[in-house]
Amino acid sequence: MSLSVNTIAKADFDFICDLVYKRSAIVLESGKEYLVQSRLVSVASQNGCASLAELVTRLRAQPSGKLTQAVIEAMTTNETSFFRDMYPFEALKKTVIPELLAKRGSDPRLTIWCAAASAGQEPYSIALLLRESFSQIPKNNIRIIATDINTEVLAHAREGVYSQIEVNRGLPITMLLRYFEKSGVNWQIREDIRQMVEFRECNLIQPWPLIPPVDILFMRNVLIYFDQETKKAILAKVRKALKPDGVFFLGGAETTMNLDENFERVQLEKTACYRIRKTA
């Protein structure tokens, strides 16, 4: 009996889990069958497969290329919103950026990296914060780099077009009216704000793109999808990417504890960041 398009056999599920882990280090455990099924149905349909079984057969025959990339992208989580969780952005505004500017002197330059940018709300939130609260920094002295493994959401981010629901999530109405323009039923962020952000593809478990030393690194709600060894490997690369006095933000449920003792946690009111621990 042939499988329906929304059913996945155990052997096929195990193959998908192994493929996704090898290509992205995302861990899919037993019990995630429904998640895999629901996310791969559209991939199967878009690629002319009559069932998930046929999709997996094609992947087994050619485990690299566009179809594999489509599967990996379908399995990545792209939950995001403007000024998500709020408190890290408050910390940037009140403490982190003022302290960095004081250290940088009369010609301050900042390099900021959002390492899981999804559809762009996080890096654009940082760009808006800088435009609103730190307009004294020359435009050419700010570099915001935003990366993600998912090429589809990166295309969305570069375009900077968001639905009414998306702009309603976390974006103050004053910023919406000041920095966005109507685009049909949607809203598009102004071109001068879009130009503040460089979007690039980056798979965190593969060699990272050439990025200058970073003052502020946002890598929020990403490590939770990896196993312990992958987390350790990524944190080791974070240390090399950060400036000695750079600041590193993780998600609220994430930590460097028991993973990399070279980081120290710094409490900033209702949120926390990490810095490279100074050696004696």
Side-chain angles (χ1 to χ4, degrees), residues 4-196:
S4 66
V5 73
N6 63 348
T7 304
I8 190 165
K10 183 180 185 307
D12 290 344
F13 173 74
D14 292 342
F15 174 81
I16 292 293
C17 291
D18 184 62
L19 179 70
V20 170
Y21 180 77
K22 287 178 178 176
R23 298 305 175 96
S24 70
I26 294 172
V27 177
L28 296 171
E29 299 172 334
S30 179
K32 298 288 187 180
E33 288 84 354
Y34 176 75
L35 175 69
V36 171
Q37 290 165 189
S38 63
R39 293 193 178 183
L40 294 189
V41 164
S42 61
V43 177
S45 176
Q46 291 165 9
N47 286 276
C49 298
S51 66
L52 293 181
E54 183 179 339
L55 174 69
V56 174
T57 297
R58 286 175 57 182
L59 289 168
R60 288 180 187 275
Q62 190 177 6
S64 61
K66 291 183 178 180
L67 186 58
T68 295
Q69 181 66 19
V71 168
I72 301 303
E73 292 187 358
M75 295 315 304
T76 58
T77 300
N78 297 301
E79 170 62 23
T80 188
S81 61
F82 288 98
F83 296 97
R84 185 181 181 184
D85 303 329
M86 186 176 68
Y87 298 118
F89 298 95
E90 286 293 312
L92 285 185
K93 179 180 175 180
K94 293 180 180 179
T95 306
V96 173
I97 293 177
E99 286 183 356
L100 287 172
L101 293 181
K103 292 177 182 177
R104 299 297 181 261
S106 59
D107 187 29
R109 296 174 183 273
L110 293 177
T111 298
I112 301 168
W113 180 18
C114 294
S118 188
Q121 287 94 323
E122 181 177 85
Y124 284 139
S125 294
I126 294 173
L128 291 172
L129 184 152
L130 287 165
R131 181 61 60 89
E132 284 276 292
S133 301
F134 300 96
S135 58
Q136 77 274 21
I137 307 175
K139 196 164 50 174
N140 293 335
N141 287 15
I142 297 171
R143 190 170 184 187
I144 304 173
I145 300 167
T147 63
D148 201 276
I149 190 175
N150 191 319
T151 56
E152 186 175 340
V153 297
L154 285 174
H156 180 184
R158 289 188 185 97
E159 190 178 17
V161 175
Y162 299 97
S163 69
Q164 188 69 53
I165 292 174
E166 288 174 314
V167 297
N168 285 348
R169 295 186 64 199
L171 185 69
I173 185 66
T174 53
M175 286 190 177
L176 175 65
L177 297 177
R178 190 175 300 141
Y179 297 109
F180 287 72
E181 299 166 342
K182 261 296 196 178
S183 177
V185 297
N186 299 317
W187 294 86
Q188 184 171 34
I189 197 162
R190 274 184 2 206
E191 184 178 0
D192 60 310
I193 304 297
R194 297 201 308 273
Q195 289 179 348
M196 292 178 68

